Amino acid sequence: MKIAVVGTGYVGLVSGTCFAETGNHVTCIDIDQRKIDKLSSGTITIYEPGLERLFDRNLKEGRLSFTTSLSEGIKDAVIIFLALPTPPGEDGSADLKYVLGVAKDLGQLLEPGKFTVIVDKSTVPVGTADKVAKAIADNSGGKLQDGVDFDVVSNPEFLREGVAVEDFMKPDRVVIGASTDQAKQIMGQLYGPYVRQGNPIINMDKRSAELTKYAANSFLATKITFMNEIARICELLGADVDMVRKGMGSDDRIGKRFLFPGIGYGGSCFPKDVQALAKSAEEANYDFRILESVMNVNEEQKVYLVPKIKKYFGGDIAGKHFALWGLAFKPNTDDIREAPALYIIQELLNAGATVSAYDPEAMPNVKEVVGETITFAGSPYEALENADALIIATEWNEFRTPDFSKVSSLLNNKAIFDGRNLFDLAQMRQMDFYYFSIGRETIIPNK
Ligand code: NAD
């Protein structure tokens, strides 16, 4: 099948590459000339485990190509995916200017009489498929009829950065909101190879498909936030959140996943999707109270370690120097959108401290945002040199079992502020570290 993907970011590039992997011919389109030049010359633009191998193979075999031209990219395409940004607008609602802008262009470019499936893969509010269809029809000069010449399908993407290829190639489910049988059949044919193990393709109406994505992300953000509040209560009442988590998670109704407390959720999806669902609810005259609390708690959680750090240093951290391990919003990605580490850096700099950071993949992206305000180290240990304490913001595997005697000898103070609960409390006690984590006992040497 000939497929076009408009928007070649995290979702567009993964989707395009994975669609090519099952034999489709995919053209990825983007307005970013630099990105398209890099991709066309065989250089991958994001870090995502397993993606490069598939990218190389499909590029070489001629099934994957890149262009900045929408008209060229969609030529002969049976399906056109929109994987465009939907950032929060000023009022928190999803800004649809990219999606509707491309929809208008498609109105002028699509051929009448040739049925094309237009797919909203971006996360978009309920009613967007209808808006996209209207934008296409209204800009076609009366040539295109919704449901006859094209159908707009909602096919939200559930991939997780860090395991995106695996999620895409073997999705838990594929949600398809389509109104014509023809679009349903084409989408079913496209996704068939990805659900061979029996995971479902769930067909539904467009509005339900659109809401499913927001409901899923908001539920997960709520689950994380609930555990972050349980962690705070654990600290106040002298319980251990790891024990509580295990005790809770062994109940099938709750499940073991997404129960790890930390320094809040970040990334390009949860923060904006929770905000957008709350805004959609408000527009429908419904006050979605849980989501308001989730957003407020998460704002505090991102900088939850900072008061602990200040307290340890007697209130004033001006002139102190900190090692920061982890910048990406989660491990196995270079994505730093809404990463808690960025908020921590800002708080430390505001208080007059300095920072030396290390992250296996995300340093170039952070450098673009913070410039020379912090220094970047070549290794986790280099970041520790002359630091007054270590702060951990992302749970990369390589941070889990460091050489603690080296850590201890490089730090000025043996103090670790761990936002991801990486280390064993008994080991920290045995090694005489001051160790602050989330929802667990604070370890103080000789106590
Ligand atoms: P991204 O910012 O990484 O990529 C978007 C791309 O679209 C950019 O490369 C940008 O240059 C390009 N673009 C902007 N305007 C364009 C235009 N007019 N024509 C062509 N290209 C254009 O965003 P992303 O993370 O891939 O997210 C895309 C959508 O998918 C969002 O709605 C997001 O909520 C949703 N989503 C993201 C994830 C994720 O993990 N990142 C997961 C599921 C869903």
Side-chain angles (χ1 to χ4, degrees):
M1 219 174 324
K2 171 88 174 60
I3 295 172
V5 179
V6 191
T8 312
Y10 284 88
V11 169
L13 186 59
V14 171
S15 311
T17 306
C18 292
F19 282 137
E21 180 65 12
T22 56
N24 298 294
H25 281 84
V26 182
T27 305
C28 293
I29 302 151
D30 206 286
I31 45 166
D32 185 337
Q33 182 75 54
R34 216 165 47 124
K35 196 177 266 192
I36 292 301
D37 287 347
K38 264 181 132 177
L39 290 165
S40 302
S41 68
T43 309
I44 200 151
T45 44
I46 57 170
Y47 173 73
E48 188 58 52
L51 184 62
E52 197 162 5
R53 195 171 52 85
L54 303 193
F55 169 80
D56 287 346
R57 179 162 58 218
N58 286 286
L59 195 68
K60 251 186 222 123
E61 292 181 8
R63 286 193 298 267
L64 190 57
S65 58
F66 300 91
T67 178
T68 52
S69 160
L70 186 63
S71 59
E72 192 184 298
I74 65 161
K75 201 167 173 297
D76 301 327
V78 180
I79 311 179
I80 302 173
F81 281 90
L82 307 184
L84 294 154
T86 48
E90 268 174 31
D91 63 356
S93 61
D95 188 344
L96 293 178
K97 69 172 181 252
Y98 301 97
V99 170
L100 294 179
V102 171
K104 281 184 188 164
D105 294 343
L106 289 178
Q108 292 172 4
L109 295 169
L110 291 180
E111 286 173 43
K114 170 189 160 286
F115 188 79
T116 311
V117 183
I118 313 298
V119 185
D120 280 338
K121 199 155 226 7
S122 299
T123 303
V124 289
V126 172
T128 302
D130 296 339
K131 286 184 185 167
V132 169
K134 189 169 180 315
I136 293 173
D138 287 356
N139 284 277
S140 71
K143 281 188 308 194
L144 299 171
Q145 203 186 333
D146 182 12
V148 176
D149 299 295
F150 68 93
D151 189 9
V152 179
V153 168
S154 168
N155 168 223
E157 183 48 57
F158 297 97
L159 64 78
R160 294 162 298 164
E161 284 177 22
V163 276
V165 171
E166 210 179 305
D167 281 352
F168 201 94
M169 295 305 292
K170 288 184 185 167
D172 287 344
R173 79 303 209 184
V174 175
V175 168
I176 294 174
S179 50
T180 61
D181 287 341
Q182 202 174 351
K184 267 182 226 167
Q185 188 255 324
I186 293 172
M187 293 299 284
Q189 194 185 331
L190 173 68
Y191 275 109
Y194 302 85
V195 291
R196 286 176 51 252
Q197 284 178 337
N199 288 348
I201 293 180
I202 308 172
N203 283 296
M204 58 178 81
D205 64 281
K206 298 178 190 186
R207 289 181 168 250
S208 303
E210 287 166 336
L211 188 54
T212 298
K213 173 67 188 177
Y214 281 109
N217 270 2
S218 297
F219 184 79
L220 292 171
T222 304
K223 196 171 178 186
I224 294 175
T225 305
F226 181 83
M227 281 314 288
N228 285 338
E229 289 213 277
I230 290 290
R232 294 190 199 185
I233 290 289
C234 283
E235 287 180 23
L236 293 170
L237 301 182
D240 183 324
V241 75
D242 265 348
M243 298 298 119
V244 177
R245 171 177 66 75
K246 286 179 187 155
M248 285 169 69
S250 47
D251 183 330
D252 278 348
R253 293 169 304 174
I254 296 172
K256 294 183 177 60
R257 298 166 74 183
F258 261 73
L259 290 184
F260 290 84
I263 44 173
Y265 60 77
S268 68
C269 291
F270 287 0
K272 85 171 169 58
D273 293 351
V274 172
Q275 210 181 354
L277 181 54
K279 190 66 195 168
S280 290
E282 190 190 313
E283 282 163 10
N285 292 321
Y286 183 72
D287 180 11
F288 207 142
R289 284 147 294 178
I290 289 180
L291 294 189
E292 293 300 333
S293 301
V294 167
M295 288 187 282
N296 290 334
V297 172
N298 197 60
E299 278 311 296
E300 293 169 11
Q301 199 71 17
K302 287 188 288 199
V303 288
Y304 186 63
L305 285 178
V306 175
K308 294 187 188 214
I309 296 168
K310 287 185 175 164
K311 192 170 169 206
Y312 170 83
F313 286 103
D316 185 11
I317 55 168
K320 299 290 176 207
H321 181 61
F322 293 96
L324 177 60
W325 283 4
L327 296 167
F329 84 93
K330 67 172 179 179
N332 301 320
T333 180
D334 59 354
D335 196 344
I336 57 157
R337 291 177 283 188
E338 291 295 315
L342 297 181
Y343 290 85
I344 294 174
I345 288 172
Q346 206 45 59
E347 291 276 323
L348 297 175
L349 296 181
N350 288 347
T354 53
V355 177
S356 177
Y358 174 77
D359 186 285
E361 296 293 337
M363 291 195 291
N365 286 342
V366 171
K367 207 167 193 172
E368 278 189 20
V369 177
V370 305
E372 307 291 314
T373 56
I374 66 170
T375 54
F376 294 93
S379 74
Y381 298 106
E382 192 185 312
L384 295 170
E385 285 167 17
N386 293 318
D388 293 300
L390 165 63
I391 302 167
I392 299 171
T394 315
E395 64 275 37
W396 284 94
N397 271 339
E398 69 175 86
F399 300 153
R400 287 184 189 275
T401 42
D403 178 343
F404 284 113
S405 30
K406 203 166 166 185
V407 172
S408 159
S409 67
L410 287 166
L411 282 172
N412 290 340
N413 302 287
K414 288 179 72 172
I416 300 176
F417 297 87
D418 179 359
R420 301 297 177 185
N421 288 1
L422 296 191
F423 305 143
D424 179 53
L425 296 180
Q427 191 178 12
M428 292 293 98
R429 182 175 284 114
Q430 196 192 358
M431 297 209 61
D432 286 338
F433 277 103
Y434 283 88
Y435 181 63
F436 302 81
S437 54
I438 309 288
R440 305 190 298 173
E441 182 190 355
T442 296
I443 303 300
I444 298 171
N446 309 316
K447 262 204 168 177

